Amino acid sequence: MYNVGKVYMIEKHVEQLLGEALLPIYEKVITNNRLSFDDGVLLYNSHNLTGVGYLANIVRERMHESRTYFVRNQHINYTNICNKFCKFCSFYAKKGGPTPYEMSLEKIKSVVEQYLHHPITEIHIVGGVNPRLDYSYYLDMLKIVKELRPDVHIKAFTAVEITEIARVGKVTIEQALRDLIESGLDSLPGGGIEVLSDRVHQELFEKKIGGDEWLEVARVAAKLGLKQYATMLYGHIETVEERVEHLIKLRELQDETGHFLCMTPLSFHPQKTELEHIPGQSGYNDLRNIAVSRLMLDNFPHIKSFWIMNTPEITQLSLWYGADDADGLVQDYEITYKEGEFGNKKQYLTYDNMRKMILEASRTPVERDSLYKEIMRESPTASAQAPQKISL
Ligand code: SF4
């Protein structure tokens, strides 16, 4: 593209790739202008996914060049007992579904000890809303993790859990967060609202907190200096317009607080949920949600492709559609149902396979901590290691 005064000469191949419909968005992207609600809807409705991905990749490379981040993390899902009964959820214990469990503090200690020999830098803790757990359980859980691994970053509790913790402790959200921070909490994973839409809330998860409460938890977290992640669950009953509204609400909140580090679009998996009649998501939609998130969330530093939900293969492609983060090695994740694996849902990548996954996509792997600081290790550098076929 040539900039002659205020006149932009667009190269022929770019014009052909984008077509007439996407060219106005191209102009906004290359001049760093914010996209509108209508732009977001157009990006979702465009048949030209390659063009949408091309636009997202411009932003991705402007912000991160070829760098692709990942973290060495462990997940702890401390209970699957939950009184919210969300229709899209396959995780909570129910008849014909997973057997109920609730980890004792001793059990938490043992699952942390299990990986003490791994150089994990982040422990990600979320669970169901289990009314049998008392306030001290949550605080003690964090203290135990920090006692065993003082250097690890604890990312824990969605806004739904934070609200429950405050309720059982009979304290305000702010006081609950202060107590959790004192016990070891470092950041919030940010899930729990799925899509910021009253209609979707009413239809799919009415027992859970609504958008206003979710936003309040985020604002209090920002005030207390916590960093936070954000998500969007797509592919259930939400409309394209509701997705775009969700992204714009997150963007506005980020303008206000600046405390979000990353956005993760999460692909809805209908198996073993009350919405099994809805077809699962395609790679096509997964890539589009990554790309549109990158383009709409101009104030979010990072966009993540969560390989557990998107598959490692789509995650490789997503690195050219706006994603700059492939999440982590992920030990012991329990939330998403995988066919035939109830009771044995070990899903993880080795360090080498994560690097291979990124290298094979011709991107540069960068191990990061939870705040996106690069971690240097003695292993070979990204450029020194030749790409190999992944065997997962
Ligand atoms: Fe409970 Fe969370 Fe599942 Fe809803 S999504 S039922 S709050 S575990």
Side-chain angles (χ1 to χ4, degrees):
M1 186 211 64
Y2 308 100
N3 179 355
V4 186
K6 283 196 173 173
V7 181
Y8 297 97
M9 304 294 292
I10 297 167
E11 288 178 5
K12 196 76 193 155
H13 72 278
V14 175
E15 202 173 342
Q16 283 169 346
L17 171 66
L18 296 177
E20 211 173 299
L22 292 179
L23 279 176
I25 297 184
Y26 176 68
E27 278 203 42
K28 285 190 181 179
V29 168
I30 56 172
T31 52
N32 253 329
N33 275 316
R34 180 159 276 192
L35 302 191
S36 67
F37 174 83
D38 289 342
D39 292 332
V41 173
L42 192 151
L43 289 166
Y44 268 119
N45 289 334
S46 167
H47 295 296
N48 184 2
L49 179 62
T50 308
V52 174
Y54 176 83
L55 294 172
N57 193 52
I58 292 173
V59 182
R60 184 256 199 251
E61 293 195 347
R62 185 164 61 212
M63 295 174 92
H64 305 291
E65 298 172 342
S66 182
R67 289 188 296 279
T68 298
Y69 299 93
F70 68 95
V71 65
R72 288 191 193 238
N73 56 351
Q74 175 184 0
H75 281 244
I76 299 176
N77 303 126
Y78 54 93
T79 180
N80 68 349
I81 297 168
C82 186
N83 63 10
K84 301 301 175 198
F85 314 113
C86 304
K87 290 183 184 170
F88 59 81
C89 180
S90 62
F91 169 66
Y92 75 90
K94 54 177 166 293
K95 210 172 162 194
T99 310
Y101 72 83
E102 177 185 301
M103 289 186 184
S104 63
L105 292 173
E106 263 314 297
K107 175 71 180 171
I108 303 270
K109 186 166 178 269
S110 76
V111 297
V112 176
E113 283 172 341
Q114 194 182 342
Y115 294 108
L116 277 183
H117 56 294
H118 288 226
I120 284 166
T121 59
E122 173 183 292
I123 297 191
H124 184 147
I125 304 173
V126 289
V129 177
N130 180 345
R132 296 199 306 219
L133 301 175
D134 61 23
Y135 196 61
S136 63
Y137 173 88
Y138 299 99
L139 305 183
D140 291 344
M141 172 166 41
L142 298 175
K143 286 177 193 160
I144 284 169
V145 174
K146 278 284 162 147
E147 268 166 33
L148 288 167
R149 301 203 78 143
D151 297 332
V152 95
H153 178 107
I154 303 181
K155 179 161 81 173
F157 310 129
T158 65
V160 185
E161 291 162 278
I162 297 290
T163 309
E164 171 69 7
I165 294 167
R167 189 191 67 78
V168 295
K170 297 187 176 56
V171 296
T172 62
I173 298 285
E174 178 165 342
Q175 188 56 51
L177 281 172
R178 285 186 187 282
D179 291 344
L180 291 165
I181 291 168
E182 203 179 306
S183 302
L185 179 70
D186 293 304
S187 68
L188 298 185
I193 195 58
E194 326 314 342
V195 175
L196 282 157
S197 150
D198 291 342
R199 182 189 74 85
V200 176
H201 179 240
Q202 277 303 309
E203 287 196 35
L204 294 191
F205 51 99
E206 63 172 348
K207 291 190 189 308
K208 248 183 2 182
I209 59 170
D212 290 346
E213 289 159 292
W214 189 90
L215 292 168
E216 187 206 337
V217 173
R219 286 194 173 98
V220 176
K223 180 180 139 189
L224 298 181
L226 283 176
K227 292 292 184 189
Q228 184 171 349
Y229 295 70
T231 61
M232 173 175 71
L233 186 72
Y234 62 87
H236 39 88
I237 64 162
E238 87 290 355
T239 64
V240 159
E241 288 76 12
E242 285 164 340
R243 286 183 202 167
V244 178
E245 277 165 19
H246 178 82
L247 295 174
I248 289 178
K249 283 176 187 167
L250 289 177
R251 189 170 75 183
E252 286 170 353
L253 184 59
Q254 176 76 330
D255 279 342
E256 184 187 322
T257 63
H259 79 304
F260 286 104
L261 290 169
C262 179
M263 164 65 167
T264 311
L266 295 173
S267 177
F268 170 57
H269 287 236
Q271 298 96 325
K272 303 287 179 187
T273 74
E274 287 183 48
L275 305 175
E276 273 197 313
H277 57 283
I278 294 178
Q281 285 305 289
S282 61
Y284 192 82
N285 281 337
D286 293 335
L287 291 174
R288 186 186 299 274
N289 277 285
I290 296 267
V292 179
S293 296
R294 179 61 287 164
L295 287 163
M296 294 301 293
L297 296 177
D298 52 22
N299 54 3
F300 271 60
H302 300 281
I303 302 292
K304 181 187 292 183
S305 175
F306 187 35
W307 63 265
I308 292 252
M309 284 184 162
N310 290 346
T311 75
E313 292 79 5
I314 292 296
T315 294
Q316 287 181 305
L317 280 174
S318 76
L319 303 182
W320 290 90
Y321 282 75
D324 62 277
D325 189 311
D327 195 71
L329 309 187
V330 184
Q331 308 279 2
D332 290 351
Y333 179 79
E334 296 278 346
I335 305 287
T336 313
Y337 175 73
K338 268 191 97 189
E339 194 66 48
E341 292 194 6
F342 267 145
N344 183 25
K345 295 194 292 182
K346 301 292 182 204
Q347 303 174 68
Y348 60 87
L349 288 175
T350 63
Y351 179 76
D352 285 345
N353 276 344
M354 172 60 86
R355 285 174 52 82
K356 282 179 200 168
M357 177 173 84
I358 296 167
L359 285 165
E360 196 181 65
S362 300
R363 291 302 200 186
T364 307
V366 176
E367 186 183 348
R368 63 167 175 87
D369 67 11
S370 303
L371 303 177
Y372 287 88
K373 202 164 130 249
E374 185 169 349
I375 293 176
M376 305 300 286
R377 297 195 191 267
E378 285 178 9
S379 57
T381 62
S383 54
Q385 190 173 20
Q388 296 168 35
K389 183 79 189 141
I390 307 167
S391 172
L392 301 175

